[in-house]
Amino acid sequence: MKFARVWAGRLWRVAAPWLFGLGLWQAIALMVSAVRGIPFPSPWQVAQVLWDMALGMIFLEHSLYHHLGMSLQRWAEGFGLGLGAGLVYALAAGGSEGVRRVTMPTVEVIQVIPGLAWIPVAILLFGLNHTATVAIIVLTTFPAVAIAGVMGVRSVDQRYLRAGRMCGAGPLTLFATVSLPCALPHLLSGLRIGMGAAWRVLVAAEMVVGSGDGLGYAIIQSRWTMDYVSAFACIAVIAILGLGMERLVLMPLERRTLARWGMVAAAGTASGAEAA
């Protein structure tokens, strides 16, 4: 009996947020239909369309898997390039006062510009194509990772570096055993921020750039054809995938990495400082 109660409590903790969200969605659908007199997609209608799409229904000349695959490809390319550039910049600017003083204002300017504002720049540089979408994602990801990385590198206690040099450690050894563990809390925070920003701007860029496929393109095309149920189905896929990456990939990675380097307390301090 006690075992059953424990499992019932765990099941309720998992199900309660989903039940609340779906109930709120259903209530909004009923209210909009009653007040405005227009059909608003309900959770059940969207689930039915999602099921058909999962079975291979052709949607805007492609399957859902094609649209999803193209969006993931663009996101992976843009996020990977932005992450790599941000880490390289963090090492250069974090270790050199001169580089940081000259370049950081430009990075901060890029940081405050919304991702969608880069759309005309990307179109002028690359045209209406796959590359323009990737470029927008890079410009959105880079500053988040770069600024967090610089903060992390600068947070390294110089006494540890001097002690390592006195013990004969070279630059690579110092980076792997001192700089990287100390910078991890900031780097992981920048990684999560950059990943979320890249995912959001990807969908918006696909709506505007109009590359012919992808989840963002599917949503905006569904709007023009008044197929709002399919648009909601694509939104649901975006939400589920984004939540899955956050809860199943990034959060476990963050916990395991910080536990591996013994930086749990530092991570809590860094998160508190960022929240303040």
Side-chain angles (χ1 to χ4, degrees):
M1 182 66 71
K2 183 178 179 181
F3 179 79
R5 286 199 301 269
V6 170
W7 274 101
R10 292 180 178 176
L11 181 61
W12 171 249
R13 285 195 296 270
V14 173
W18 292 95
L19 293 174
F20 172 78
L22 293 174
L24 180 62
W25 180 357
Q26 181 65 46
I28 293 174
L30 294 174
M31 183 176 64
V32 171
S33 298
V35 174
R36 300 194 60 199
I38 59 174
F40 191 95
S42 67
W44 175 247
Q45 291 173 318
V46 173
Q48 288 179 309
V49 172
L50 271 176
W51 178 254
D52 292 337
M53 289 181 175
L55 293 178
M57 182 185 75
I58 298 301
F59 173 52
L60 295 174
E61 301 182 0
H62 301 287
S63 69
L64 174 65
Y65 302 107
H66 176 85
H67 290 294
L68 177 59
M70 292 306 300
S71 290
L72 287 174
Q73 178 183 339
R74 295 181 184 114
W75 175 83
E77 290 179 12
F79 180 69
L81 290 172
L83 175 63
L87 291 176
V88 170
Y89 173 82
L91 292 175
S96 171
E97 180 67 28
V99 173
R100 184 168 61 254
R101 187 184 306 112
V102 172
T103 60
M104 183 57 77
T106 300
V107 177
E108 291 173 343
V109 168
I110 297 175
Q111 166 76 4
V112 300
I113 296 176
L116 289 179
W118 294 111
I119 288 178
V121 178
I123 292 176
L124 285 173
L125 290 174
F126 305 106
L128 293 170
N129 53 35
H130 173 93
T131 306
T133 304
V134 173
I136 295 168
I137 298 170
V138 172
L139 288 169
T140 304
T141 304
F142 167 75
V145 177
I147 293 174
V150 170
M151 292 176 59
V153 173
R154 294 189 66 191
S155 69
V156 177
D157 193 329
Q158 295 300 312
R159 292 175 299 178
Y160 297 150
L161 294 176
R162 288 195 294 269
R165 294 191 188 99
M166 291 176 61
C167 293
L172 292 178
T173 302
L174 286 174
F175 172 77
T177 60
V178 179
S179 299
L180 181 60
C182 292
L184 269 179
H186 293 284
L187 286 173
L188 290 174
S189 296
L191 182 67
R192 292 179 67 177
I193 294 171
M195 190 192 94
W199 186 243
R200 289 190 296 271
V201 80
L202 159 71
V203 176
E206 287 181 336
M207 290 181 176
V208 178
V209 174
S211 52
D213 48 26
L215 294 174
Y217 171 81
I219 291 172
I220 200 66
Q221 289 300 113
S222 298
R223 169 197 171 190
W224 297 126
T225 59
M226 305 297 287
D227 185 7
Y228 287 102
V229 178
S230 296
F232 271 61
C234 292
I235 293 172
V237 171
I238 292 168
I240 292 170
L241 191 59
L243 185 63
M245 287 190 291
E246 172 73 14
R247 296 295 180 89
L248 301 179
V249 178
L250 277 183
M251 290 181 66
L253 175 64
E254 183 177 24
R255 286 196 299 267
R256 292 175 183 176
T257 303
L258 295 180
R260 163 67 177 82
W261 291 101
M263 299 296 294
V264 176
T269 302
S271 300
E274 289 178 3

